[in-house]
Amino acid sequence: MNTTKLHMRPLIGAFLVSFAGLSLAAEKPPNIVFFALDDMNDWVGALGYEQAITPNMDRLAESGVNFTNAHTAGIFCAPSRTALFTGRHATSTGCYTTQVYFHSLPELTPLQLVFQRGGYSTHGGGKLFHHPAGFVDLRGWDEFFVRDDGQKRRGWPLDSWETDMAILPKPYPNSIFNHDREPANKFFLEWGPVKNEDEEKMADTVRTEWACELLRRKHEKPLFLAVGLYTPHFPNYAPQKYFDLYDAEKIKAPAYKKDDLEDLPPAVRKAKQARGAIHRRLESLDAVEDAIHGYLACISYADAMLGRLLDAIESGPNAENTIVVLWSDHGYHHGEKFDWGKHTLWERTSNVPFMFAGPGIARGAKVSATVSLIDLFPTVVDLAGVADAQQRDGISLLPVLRDPAAAKDREVLLPGMKPNEYAIMNRDWRYIHYADGGEELYRLEEDPNEWHNLASRREHAPVVKRLNAAAPKRFAQPLPSNNEIRLVVDGETFRWESKGKQKKRAGGASN
């Protein structure tokens, strides 16, 4: 297949003009567009991963600022997205796992409400929050798009596959991993092509086209538009043409080290040895590269959706006043540390694509300084010039977006799934601390695969001490998780209640 057909035209208008020095709180505030991906690690051409075919992500990177050492703010979907839309770490809020922040912390103003109060028209759609019913914070949205109105009567779930509208391959299950058994979690380690003619019916295509239609229109108010794709989260189903971009015989798996787990603290070593059964099964089926093929196909499908979005901006009335931000909620392991998944404090979970392009932003810049998705909230608020009266945990990257040479490396925090569990990262080191006192330390330039845990070596004790000192001095206690409260759906609205009590709490009612 001729892959050049998937490469879009170079961006014009806002994306090919450097507006460094422009006041972003000018007469006409910029439109802000989020393009959010799910389980997307840093396998992007513009991030140095040559195996992925990502012309539009590369195009966006060339048109703006590409943060090459960006890290998630949560190690799976729920805490990551909570941190992003509240601008607060789990260590500040207590939202370490599946807590519903707007139930327990209704006073905490989310990003979309800050934009709305700042005069923006706010539109959200797709997987922006955790996908089960009851997790969409509907406050502050002028519109929140779901492709099926029936979702509103089920508590606004954001899944792509648990409905009659899902586009599935035939046969199902499709992957060799699941051929001879009932699929674990229905779609885990499922991959395979669907018909090319079904692309327009797929949930992520429908969401993208909804966003494109908005971008083709002129708006009286500045626009905050956030569209979230489910891909490349499992199941890795994509139209056949995206599988055809890759030669299955040439796909390479990451490097694995046979005794990689031996120098880990006992508890995490035991957990990952058990988790390794997944990798061993894939190896026994000679399916590791096949599984990676499915993930790469979905990355290219997501990339094509980004291309549609960028083209809609370029060809519409918003070309000169729109900032695009690409992010992923966290990364994903494909056998590294013998894991297939996230939920870890290692590089495969933490490193994510993070790109900005548009007016007021330097063009064609790579920034290797360490940043976090916790920085997104204060950065876009500054870009928009809207007021935010609440304390957030990140820093604004606006000075770096204007002058990438001003970037300075710093230590960033990645909370784990409980208090006193975290990673501290900078350009040179990753320090991991577990709640039971276990520690890991990796020197990243010399050991990018994080194969050699240096935490117990005496000569590195000063580094451990210094990085440990950068951790929070106190950790918020976990709030009630979704399993500890009760979802009540009332028509097209919902609310959460404490179990055993009929006391209503603030949350899911739409404006």
Side-chain angles (χ1 to χ4, degrees):
M1 181 176 179
N2 183 357
T3 62
T4 59
K5 292 183 179 180
L6 292 181
H7 289 253
M8 306 298 180
R9 298 185 304 277
L11 291 170
I12 61 173
F15 296 155
L16 287 190
V17 179
S18 174
F19 286 82
L22 176 69
S23 172
L24 292 173
E27 295 180 5
K28 189 177 182 182
N31 300 317
I32 306 287
V33 177
F34 281 4
F35 188 79
L37 300 169
D38 195 353
D39 283 10
M40 173 80 186
N41 62 24
D42 56 5
W43 287 4
V44 180
L47 292 172
Y49 184 78
E50 297 179 355
Q51 192 161 225
I53 299 172
T54 55
N56 294 296
M57 295 182 200
D58 302 347
R59 165 191 178 192
L60 183 66
E62 292 168 2
S63 302
V65 174
N66 177 17
F67 290 97
T68 62
N69 191 24
H71 299 269
T72 182
I75 63 175
F76 71 102
C77 181
S80 171
R81 292 163 189 268
T82 291
L84 193 150
F85 277 95
T86 65
R88 302 285 296 277
H89 274 306
T91 53
S92 298
T93 63
C95 297
Y96 295 94
T97 57
T98 58
Q99 289 80 13
V100 183
Y101 73 83
F102 52 81
H103 166 76
S104 297
L105 301 170
E107 70 280 4
L108 189 55
T109 308
L111 180 61
Q112 71 276 4
L113 189 52
V114 171
F115 271 109
Q116 189 182 62
R117 289 175 176 173
Y120 271 69
S121 175
T122 55
H123 301 262
K127 190 172 179 185
L128 298 174
F129 302 94
H130 194 29
H131 61 267
F135 277 89
V136 180
D137 185 356
L138 288 168
R139 299 173 300 167
W141 298 107
D142 294 324
E143 174 192 15
F144 198 94
F145 172 80
V146 288
R147 71 192 192 284
D148 171 12
D149 281 343
Q151 291 172 263
K152 299 176 183 179
R153 296 184 290 276
R154 300 193 299 273
W156 296 72
L158 302 178
D159 59 82
S160 297
W161 307 104
E162 300 285 350
T163 72
D164 293 338
M165 299 177 67
I167 303 298
L168 302 175
K170 292 182 180 179
Y172 170 80
N174 196 265
S175 74
I176 189 173
F177 187 86
N178 288 317
H179 271 178
D180 60 352
R181 66 177 188 174
E182 185 69 19
N185 298 321
K186 295 186 179 179
F187 291 112
F188 176 65
L189 268 169
E190 258 292 281
W191 66 87
V194 300
K195 295 178 180 178
N196 288 333
E197 54 264 35
D198 285 337
E199 181 170 8
E200 301 309 310
K201 302 175 187 176
M202 295 180 71
D204 283 339
T205 307
V206 172
R207 292 161 178 161
T208 301
E209 283 301 316
W210 162 79
C212 289
E213 195 278 328
L214 280 170
L215 291 167
R216 295 184 188 110
R217 282 195 260 140
K218 191 173 182 179
H219 300 269
E220 293 183 5
K221 295 181 178 181
L223 178 70
F224 172 54
L225 169 62
V227 56
L229 271 57
Y230 203 93
T231 196
H233 191 293
F234 278 124
N236 288 159
Y237 298 154
Q240 180 71 56
K241 62 184 179 181
Y242 300 108
F243 280 82
D244 292 344
L245 289 172
Y246 299 89
D247 184 340
E249 300 301 318
K250 295 182 179 179
I251 289 175
K252 295 181 180 179
Y256 307 126
K257 184 172 180 283
K258 187 176 181 180
D259 62 347
D260 193 8
L261 306 180
E262 295 306 310
D263 60 358
L264 300 182
V268 68
R269 181 173 68 243
K270 182 178 179 181
K272 295 309 168 186
Q273 285 172 340
R275 184 76 174 173
I278 295 169
H279 188 72
R280 291 191 293 272
R281 175 174 169 80
L282 284 166
E283 286 186 320
S284 72
L285 296 168
D286 194 23
V288 171
E289 290 79 7
D290 198 27
I292 292 170
H293 189 180
Y295 187 74
L296 291 172
C298 284
I299 287 175
S300 292
Y301 167 54
D303 184 82
M305 296 301 103
L306 175 63
R308 294 190 186 200
L309 193 84
L310 298 180
D311 285 349
I313 295 170
E314 177 189 344
S315 62
N318 303 294
E320 295 185 359
N321 198 37
T322 298
I323 292 170
V324 176
V325 187
L326 181 146
W327 54 267
S328 170
D329 56 354
H330 47 71
Y332 205 84
H333 287 251
H334 289 81
E336 301 94 339
K337 300 287 185 189
F338 301 102
D339 199 352
W340 287 76
K342 48 256 189 179
H343 300 92
T344 80
L345 292 165
W346 295 311
E347 183 255 0
R348 282 294 91 221
T349 289
S350 77
N351 286 59
V352 291
F354 195 34
M355 304 174 188
F356 290 73
I361 295 171
R363 177 174 174 258
K366 287 185 178 182
V367 174
S368 63
T370 313
V371 298
S372 168
L373 260 60
I374 204 69
D375 301 329
L376 181 58
F377 196 124
T379 301
V380 295
V381 166
D382 273 2
L383 284 167
V386 297
D388 177 25
Q390 294 189 345
Q391 178 66 39
R392 312 295 173 179
D393 288 340
I395 67 170
S396 174
L397 300 174
L398 178 56
V400 178
L401 295 178
R402 286 177 167 169
D403 179 15
K408 295 182 179 179
D409 200 49
R410 78 185 210 270
E411 286 144 8
V412 301
L413 168 70
L414 173 57
M417 295 173 62
K418 60 184 72 171
N420 209 30
E421 180 178 281
Y422 56 89
I424 302 291
M425 296 89 67
N426 59 32
R427 193 154 41 197
D428 301 319
W429 298 95
R430 178 184 302 266
Y431 169 70
I432 296 174
H433 185 278
Y434 295 100
D436 64 2
E439 294 178 305
E440 297 173 47
L441 179 70
Y442 300 100
R443 192 165 195 162
L444 301 176
E445 185 175 354
E446 297 176 2
D447 182 20
N449 294 305
E450 298 174 340
W451 282 341
H452 306 289
N453 180 10
L454 306 176
S456 63
R457 297 191 182 182
R458 181 177 300 177
E459 65 268 29
H460 296 304
V463 178
V464 169
K465 183 178 180 180
R466 175 170 58 83
L467 295 176
N468 198 4
K473 299 302 181 284
R474 63 176 300 274
F475 293 80
Q477 289 303 302
L479 296 172
S481 69
N482 68 316
N483 293 325
E484 298 172 277
I485 53 181
R486 185 168 70 97
L487 178 64
V488 178
V489 179
D490 184 10
E492 293 189 351
T493 64
F494 65 85
R495 66 182 184 273
W496 290 91
E497 295 179 349
S498 299
K499 285 186 177 179
K501 298 180 181 179
Q502 298 304 311
K503 184 180 179 181
K504 296 182 181 179
R505 299 297 300 266
S510 176
N511 286 342

